[in-house]
Amino acid sequence: MEGVCWPADYDMRAFLRDIQSGLYFSGRGKWTPNLDRALNFKLINRAVSHVEKAGLRGVELVVISGDAPHLTALPVGILHPLAHPLDKWHD
């Protein structure tokens, strides 16, 4: 992002998780229950791009930033903005 300076030790990890099974994407069409074996996209836009290119559905984006002790999962609609036009989100 322009104008944003992240600390040198800033660590962000971005993963894809299947909503129904809870498994994490590990690459090459494979899934794992172990977050340590999941593919780290490092950036949110890389994960979203993969979802779009691979045509994945029923997944959520899981983000871990810094030393956060918990995972943050983002709604599926964020990964598929064309399926949810902006006029549905605003007045």
Side-chain angles (χ1 to χ4, degrees):
M1 293 175 64
E2 259 185 50
V4 177
C5 294
W6 300 106
D9 61 349
Y10 181 79
D11 178 36
M12 182 165 93
R13 295 173 279 165
F15 304 94
L16 296 174
R17 180 169 56 192
D18 182 272
I19 293 172
Q20 289 187 344
S21 69
L23 298 176
Y24 296 94
F25 182 72
S26 62
R28 299 183 184 193
K30 298 189 181 194
W31 299 82
T32 180
N34 188 338
L35 187 58
D36 291 333
R37 294 180 179 214
L39 177 62
N40 176 6
F41 288 91
K42 297 184 183 178
L43 298 173
I44 291 171
N45 61 331
R46 287 182 188 162
V48 172
S49 178
H50 180 77
V51 168
E52 292 170 350
K53 286 179 184 175
L56 296 178
R57 297 289 183 255
V59 296
E60 61 188 353
L61 176 67
V62 176
V63 177
I64 303 171
S65 59
D67 293 329
H70 64 279
L71 305 177
T72 302
L74 301 175
V76 176
I78 290 174
L79 296 178
H80 304 288
L82 298 178
H84 303 282
L86 291 176
D87 59 352
K88 290 185 179 180
W89 295 94
H90 299 285
D91 295 337

